[in-house]
Amino acid sequence: MAEAQLSVRDLHAWYGESHVLHGMSFDVQAGEVATLLGRNGAGKTTTMRAIMGLLANRKGSIKFEGAELIGLKSNRIARQGIAYCPEERGIFSSLSVSENLLLPPRIKTTGGFSLAEIYRLFPNLEARAASQGTKLSGGEQQMLAIARILRTGAQFLLLDEPTEGLAPVIVQQIGKTINILRQQGFTILLVEQNFRFAATVADRHYVVEHGRVIDMVPNSALEANKQKLQSYLGV
C-alpha cells in the first residue's frame, strides 16, 4: 500500500488536565473517505481538532504527505492543504451567504471552487445568496459550512458530524455531495455516529473508544460486522 496521505501515530491530547486522546493511530489514503465512528465523548472531535492544531497540548505524530504537523500552528497546518468543517459550522451571523463564502483565503494558487462551481453543487445557496448566514435552515447552514472550505483550495477535508440533526432528505444530499467530492479527487476524514449513513459514502471505518482506535472495518465488510458495530456504538 502506498504511503498514507495522513498518518496518525500514538496521538495524545489534553483539554487542560483532562487526558482525552490515549494513543490514536490510523491512516487515511489519498482519494478515500474514512470515518471515525464512536459514541459521544469517544474522542472523535478531539482528534479532528488535534490534527488541525487547535489544541495546545498534544503529542505523538501527525504526518500529512510525509511532513510532521505536530508543533505547527493551525494556520500553518491549513496551508498544507487541510480544511476543517466543525460540527458547530461557524457561520458568521453578520454576513450574508455570499459573504461567508468569500471570506476564507485561498491557500493554494490553483484549485478552490469558484462561486459558480459552489452554486452548481449547492443550488440552494445561490437562491439564498443575499440571506443572513444564520437565517438558513440547518441543512442549508451545513451546505454553507462545507461550501466555504471548498473555496480554500484544500484537497483534504475534515468533516465533523455533517449530518447531525438533519432531515433524511438533507442527509441524502450531504451524502451525494461527499461522493461527488471523492470523485473529484478529494480525501475526506469524516466523524460520524451513524454507520448506516457512513456506509453510503466511506471506504473504511475506524472505531474510536476511550480516545483510541479499537477496530477498523472496511466498508465491504460492514454488513458482516454489523452486530459488532452495534455493540461498539450502542445503537
Side-chain angles (χ1 to χ4, degrees):
M1 183 177 290
E3 182 180 3
Q5 187 173 23
L6 179 77
S7 183
V8 176
R9 290 290 179 273
D10 196 26
L11 179 62
H12 293 252
W14 292 259
Y15 289 111
E17 294 184 359
S18 180
H19 190 178
V20 180
L21 299 185
H22 298 268
M24 287 285 294
S25 295
F26 62 92
D27 292 326
V28 183
Q29 301 294 326
E32 77 171 346
V33 177
T35 63
L36 301 178
L37 295 173
R39 295 185 178 96
N40 283 333
K44 306 183 304 295
T45 293
T46 302
T47 300
M48 295 283 211
R49 292 176 57 81
I51 292 169
M52 282 305 300
L54 298 173
L55 298 180
N57 195 354
R58 58 188 180 138
K59 71 175 185 178
S61 176
I62 304 171
K63 288 187 177 180
F64 180 70
E65 297 181 344
E68 182 61 63
L69 302 184
I70 289 286
L72 295 184
K73 293 184 178 180
S74 57
N75 64 321
R76 292 278 307 282
I77 292 171
R79 292 189 179 278
Q80 305 302 306
I82 304 175
Y84 176 42
C85 183
E87 183 181 2
E88 62 273 16
R89 299 170 186 149
I91 305 301
F92 288 91
S93 61
S94 61
L95 301 180
S96 68
V97 168
S98 60
E99 289 169 338
N100 267 280
L101 287 172
L102 292 171
L103 187 63
R106 295 287 182 97
I107 62 168
K108 301 284 186 180
T109 55
T110 59
F113 281 36
S114 66
L115 280 180
E117 290 171 321
I118 289 290
Y119 291 148
R120 280 198 295 271
L121 189 61
F122 299 108
N124 291 31
L125 297 184
E126 183 173 20
R128 304 295 302 276
S131 300
Q132 185 179 342
T134 51
K135 296 296 185 183
L136 304 182
S137 69
E140 288 170 336
Q141 287 190 40
Q142 186 62 67
M143 293 174 198
L144 177 56
I146 295 173
R148 190 171 54 186
I149 65 174
L150 295 177
R151 289 272 303 149
T152 66
Q155 290 289 307
F156 193 105
L157 309 181
L158 304 174
L159 305 183
D160 193 351
E161 298 277 14
T163 66
E164 178 69 22
L166 301 183
V169 65
I170 303 299
V171 172
Q172 290 179 2
Q173 190 169 354
I174 297 296
K176 181 180 178 181
T177 299
I178 290 172
N179 282 318
I180 289 171
L181 294 174
R182 175 170 54 182
Q183 291 166 13
Q184 294 184 11
F186 286 84
T187 307
I188 299 173
L189 179 60
L190 177 70
V191 160
E192 262 300 332
Q193 292 189 68
N194 184 353
F195 73 83
R196 294 176 182 86
F197 167 76
T200 67
V201 298
D203 298 293
R204 55 179 159 158
H205 313 273
Y206 292 102
V207 181
V208 181
E209 193 171 285
H210 304 307
R212 61 171 62 90
V213 170
I214 61 168
D215 205 350
M216 189 281 287
V217 180
N219 201 55
S220 59
L222 201 60
E223 190 63 31
N225 288 274
K226 188 173 181 179
Q227 187 172 354
K228 182 167 65 171
L229 283 168
Q230 287 175 334
S231 69
Y232 286 148
L233 304 176
V235 297

